Amino acid sequence: MPRKRATIREVAQATGLSPAAVSYALRGLQVSEETKERVRAAAAELGYEADPIARALASGRTGMIGLLCGSLEDLWQQSLAVGISRGLREKDRYALILDAVGDPARERALAQQLRDQRVDGMIVQPIDPAAAFWPELCESLPVVAIGDSLAGTAAEVVFDNRRGVTLALEHLRDLGHRNIAVLTSTRSSTPDRPADVYVTAEADRLDLDIEVATAPHGLAGATSAARDILSAKQPSAVFCFADSIAYGVYAAAQELELSIPGDVSVMGYDSYPMSSLLTPGLTTVDWDLDGIVRAAVRLVAAAADGSGARRRRVVQAPTLRERGSVARVPG
């Protein structure tokens, strides 16, 4: 027969304390360190485990943090989700991971669903940072944004996209590239994402001829978009706003019998670990994935606990990872 779950009253009897004092000790509140250790030792010996439903009802917290990803077809976002999930577990919290599949309407529906499920907080990589529902949502629960700023968030880890775009385009310009294709996952319905705005402004400043096209993160879709632009525009370089999109350029180039970087140079934007294993290795912009994970977990935990009194903003600076996928234009 399975052993019956020990109750908090049994722990109280074993320690000579009241159930309320035991509850405080198990949560690390209002008691001495000696009492905490005595209660925890008794709980371990009796096999006591807190009932998560009862704990949620008593505290008003579920221990769940919603993680709303823009698209889990993006391998970098997959790695981010894994890192955040593990980081939250170390803080005795759990991640509820949802995928907006690159759809702004789905993003809104899932964000509202997480709110209605009473998660303690939310981490989001927004598809549409300018959407009107974000301020209202952020009033109802603590939200930490990753990548782009949102109105009303408790905290945010934003990318210095201006610097990242400048690094990429100046690198291509310095190697003689003037005719550049840009592949982005941004849809026509969300044209004001900062990175896309900056790429147009920087291209004008650097006197570059750019062609911007939409490409999904999935390999098949990215390959199709890359094939179209390589065939129609014949750019000397393709700058992709995600390494997962750049993989589609590699596949399309192979289909079209174009060499990288001999016939076309390719750049990515988030330094997914597999990018260094390609032939040639992908030159890309690195945003320090581990640093983003640590900052996001720290900020959402503090906001969910109510200890983030003022809005916090972490600006993530990029670095350029030069590999073999970008070559100097002959002549």
Side-chain angles (χ1 to χ4, degrees):
M1 292 292 291
R3 188 178 186 275
K4 183 181 177 182
R5 180 198 293 263
T7 67
I8 199 168
R9 292 188 178 278
E10 290 173 324
V11 178
Q13 292 173 356
T15 56
L17 299 170
S18 68
V22 169
S23 177
Y24 283 134
L26 290 172
R27 288 181 288 158
L29 303 173
Q30 302 180 13
V31 296
S32 67
E33 287 298 323
E34 185 274 332
T35 300
K36 292 179 191 176
E37 291 301 321
R38 183 156 56 98
V39 169
R40 289 169 182 168
E45 183 177 348
L46 292 170
Y48 170 79
E49 295 180 3
D51 185 330
I53 297 176
R55 182 170 57 186
L57 290 172
S59 65
R61 296 174 180 170
T62 63
M64 302 295 296
I65 299 293
L67 176 57
L68 180 52
C69 301
S71 173
L72 285 176
E73 285 188 310
D74 180 358
L75 299 175
W76 188 86
Q77 291 190 41
Q78 290 182 22
S79 295
L80 188 68
V82 169
I84 288 174
S85 177
R86 291 174 178 173
L88 289 172
R89 185 66 191 91
E90 292 174 359
K91 292 185 175 295
D92 198 26
R93 297 180 183 275
Y94 297 88
L96 182 57
I97 302 172
L98 298 180
D99 180 11
V101 298
D103 183 351
R106 182 178 174 87
E107 177 179 61
R108 175 175 182 169
L110 292 179
Q112 293 171 337
Q113 180 180 330
L114 286 170
R115 177 198 61 194
D116 295 343
Q117 290 181 331
R118 300 187 181 278
V119 294
D120 296 339
M122 183 190 304
I123 298 173
V124 61
Q125 302 158 255
I127 298 169
D128 185 4
F133 73 90
W134 288 119
E136 179 184 355
L137 183 87
C138 292
E139 287 182 0
S140 59
L141 81 164
V143 176
V144 173
I146 292 179
D148 294 319
S149 182
L150 294 178
T153 55
E156 56 191 18
V157 185
V158 296
F159 301 161
D160 186 352
N161 279 302
R162 185 184 296 276
R163 179 59 181 155
V165 167
T166 298
L167 278 174
L169 293 186
E170 285 188 346
H171 182 64
L172 292 173
R173 187 274 314 269
D174 292 346
L175 292 174
H177 295 277
R178 292 293 182 272
N179 180 22
I180 301 169
V182 177
L183 292 181
T184 173
S185 62
T186 300
R187 297 185 178 193
S188 57
S189 60
T190 57
D192 52 356
R193 287 180 61 87
D196 298 89
V197 172
Y198 294 147
V199 80
T200 303
E202 282 298 278
D204 289 342
R205 182 181 71 83
L206 297 170
D207 193 25
L208 301 175
D209 181 13
I210 67 166
E211 179 78 19
V212 180
T214 298
H217 290 284
L219 182 59
T223 302
S224 177
R227 186 191 307 114
D228 290 344
I229 205 161
L230 288 174
S231 300
K233 302 298 179 179
Q234 297 182 343
S236 67
V238 182
F239 172 37
C240 305
F241 271 124
D243 284 15
S244 57
I245 295 176
Y247 302 158
V249 181
Y250 273 65
Q254 184 177 37
E255 289 180 14
L256 297 171
E257 298 184 347
L258 299 174
S259 69
I260 299 174
D263 296 317
V264 61
S265 292
V266 185
M267 283 195 69
Y269 201 61
D270 49 37
S271 195
Y272 184 69
M274 192 169 67
S275 296
S276 64
L277 303 178
L278 298 176
T279 304
L282 178 65
T283 294
T284 186
V285 178
D286 190 339
W287 293 101
D288 183 14
L289 179 65
D290 292 339
I292 292 168
V293 166
R294 289 193 298 271
V297 169
R298 182 181 73 251
L299 291 171
V300 79
D305 289 338
S307 56
R310 63 185 180 88
R311 188 169 182 264
R312 299 292 303 277
R313 191 171 196 261
V314 175
V315 179
Q316 202 73 17
T319 56
L320 184 65
R321 298 292 182 195
E322 294 186 53
R323 299 190 179 107
S325 64
V326 177
R328 183 175 297 277
V329 175

